[in-house]
Amino acid sequence: MSRAYNFCAGPATLPEAVLRQARDEMLDWRGTGMSVMEMSHRSDDFVQIAETAEQDLRDLAGVSDDYAVLFMQGGASSQFSMIPLNLLGDKTGADYVNTGIWSKKAIAEARRYGEINVAASSEDSGFTTIPDQAAWQTRADAAYLHYTPNETIGGLEFDFVPDSGDVPLVADMSSTLLSRPLDVSKFGLIYAGAQKNIGPSGLVVVIIRKDLLGKARKETPTMMNYQVIADNDSMYNTPATYSWYLAGLVFKWLKEQGGVQAMGEINLRKARKLYDFIDGSDFYANPIERRFRSWMNVPFTLADNALDNEFLKGADARGLLNLKGHRSVGGMRASIYNALPEAGVDALIGYMAEFARERG
């Protein structure tokens, strides 16, 4: 069997070495005679898996003991309501920055729980740029400032970490966590759906500064209360054990690659290759201001969108899968997360060049 190059935005490609290890351990994890997915989450074996995964994540991301690390069920979208329920406390509202579809979804959900101020928006530009922070209308009494560092659908990415002053900074890092070095100390809370750079779907990682725990509103459901989850080591109920285990294998794999510093260098090189090809072509185009182009998600259009289906059919035949852009924006999108090898980017560029020669 030949492995394809999977450019899906999520669930995304996983490292082949991780899949092979999971395959080998599927029926018998370390002589226990059972699969990880059959284990009790209270067993010593699974507690070992969970604790090791958390420590490896802390090592990779540089997470200090000032933060709790939670492995929760669901995806990042579940956090859109959990964050205001847990962080608004006795304050009336929070500030949000709108840079795309995921920002808009977070804003809409947060408005169920408080007064949400859109401090800045790039909607007028079609979400092709990031507003200058000097023009943001933030509030010193906001419970927190929320932003989306990388808009997976639109391919728009911050090239800076906003300065939120004394207001806790909250970030949806679903598509960027572990893709490069990060100063976690600048954030009050980071959340990330696992299905891009961490592991399979069904799991979301929350990194929260401990002083922000214990502020949940009284109506917050128990299973959505960060304090409860932290107090119970993410095992108040049965967690997504197999997803947690696979995430732990990915963390080990990342360490073997040289950690986030090495991955950042590789990811930047992959992105530059693809953008340089697009920019050097009169057949393909990317709409995002160059400074704010995503390393992880590269949208592009063809000179004639009537050729889109033919392009996708040819890509599939060559094992270049899931290049169709999100239904809300159209065109193409290549998601080039950690586990997508550089050879995959080279293969995509080769096909794009061939298609342009034949159809341009």
Side-chain angles (χ1 to χ4, degrees):
M1 183 186 71
S2 176
R3 290 275 293 167
Y5 293 121
N6 178 16
F7 295 91
C8 187
T13 191
L14 285 165
E16 186 171 340
V18 166
L19 294 175
R20 289 182 182 278
Q21 182 176 348
R23 177 200 63 189
D24 293 344
E25 296 178 343
M26 174 60 75
L27 297 179
D28 183 5
W29 184 82
R30 300 188 182 181
T32 60
M34 59 182 166
S35 173
V36 171
M37 69 175 67
E38 299 172 300
M39 286 180 185
S40 165
H41 60 294
R42 307 291 184 192
S43 68
D44 290 344
D45 288 323
F46 187 77
V47 169
Q48 176 189 342
I49 290 171
E51 290 178 347
T52 301
E54 178 179 335
Q55 188 57 56
D56 285 340
L57 175 58
R58 286 182 180 274
D59 294 344
L60 286 163
V63 181
S64 74
D65 290 339
D66 294 330
Y67 291 80
V69 175
L70 314 178
F71 290 84
M72 301 183 69
Q73 292 159 312
S77 296
S78 63
Q79 301 300 313
F80 295 163
S81 55
M82 289 190 205
I83 288 165
L85 281 169
N86 279 272
L87 299 190
L88 281 176
D90 59 1
K91 293 182 179 291
T92 59
D95 291 340
Y96 279 67
V97 180
N98 179 19
T99 51
I101 289 173
W102 293 113
S103 298
K104 293 179 74 173
K105 287 179 179 288
I107 290 166
E109 189 68 14
R111 280 182 167 151
R112 297 173 180 267
Y113 307 103
E115 178 190 333
I116 301 305
N117 168 52
V118 178
S121 175
S122 60
E123 190 160 12
D124 288 347
S125 74
F127 298 120
T128 58
T129 189
I130 303 290
D132 188 334
Q133 189 173 2
W136 294 10
Q137 300 297 311
T138 54
R139 302 171 297 182
D141 63 346
Y144 58 88
L145 170 63
H146 178 286
Y147 82 116
T148 306
N150 180 70
E151 288 283 357
T152 312
I153 291 173
L156 179 68
E157 183 176 303
F158 280 73
D159 69 342
F160 65 94
V161 175
D163 180 1
S164 61
D166 294 331
V167 174
L169 184 62
V170 175
D172 177 356
M173 292 195 175
S174 295
S175 47
T176 54
L177 186 63
L178 302 181
S179 67
R180 71 207 74 175
L182 174 72
D183 185 355
V184 171
S185 69
K186 294 183 177 181
F187 299 86
L189 185 150
I190 292 168
Y191 63 105
Q195 67 275 14
K196 301 176 189 297
N197 279 315
I198 294 174
S201 59
L203 181 74
V204 59
V205 172
V206 176
I207 302 170
I208 180 171
R209 209 170 62 218
K210 290 178 179 177
D211 66 289
L212 296 177
L213 295 170
K215 297 184 177 182
R217 291 184 170 183
K218 63 180 181 179
E219 66 268 26
T220 303
T222 301
M223 282 301 303
M224 298 175 73
N225 188 320
Y226 293 144
Q227 182 73 71
V228 172
I229 306 304
D231 288 345
N232 289 275
D233 298 321
S234 300
M235 296 190 193
Y236 180 81
N237 73 326
T238 305
T241 54
Y242 202 71
S243 294
W244 198 340
Y245 154 75
L246 283 171
L249 297 187
V250 172
F251 300 154
K252 290 292 187 190
W253 176 82
L254 285 170
K255 283 187 165 184
E256 292 168 1
Q257 309 312 304
V260 293
Q261 181 66 45
M263 292 311 305
E265 294 168 3
I266 294 169
N267 287 330
L268 180 57
R269 187 167 65 242
K270 291 190 299 188
R272 281 178 172 169
K273 273 187 179 182
L274 187 48
Y275 284 120
D276 284 349
F277 174 78
I278 291 170
D279 292 340
S281 167
D282 57 7
F283 188 81
Y284 303 101
N286 173 276
I288 304 300
E289 183 180 344
R290 293 193 182 194
R291 174 184 167 189
F292 300 116
R293 285 174 167 176
S294 170
W295 292 20
M296 299 281 97
N297 311 101
V298 182
F300 59 92
T301 55
L302 279 61
D304 181 1
N305 60 19
L307 295 172
D308 284 2
N309 288 337
E310 184 180 350
F311 178 90
L312 290 168
K313 184 177 179 180
D316 285 353
R318 290 162 176 78
L320 307 171
L321 307 183
N322 294 306
L323 284 164
K324 186 175 182 179
H326 191 271
R327 61 187 179 276
S328 63
V329 296
M332 309 296 158
R333 176 179 52 173
S335 294
I336 51 177
Y337 301 122
N338 284 344
L340 193 286
E342 193 166 353
V345 174
D346 293 336
L348 174 59
I349 291 171
Y351 169 62
M352 291 171 69
E354 174 190 335
F355 191 88
R357 285 194 302 268
E358 295 178 356
R359 298 292 184 269

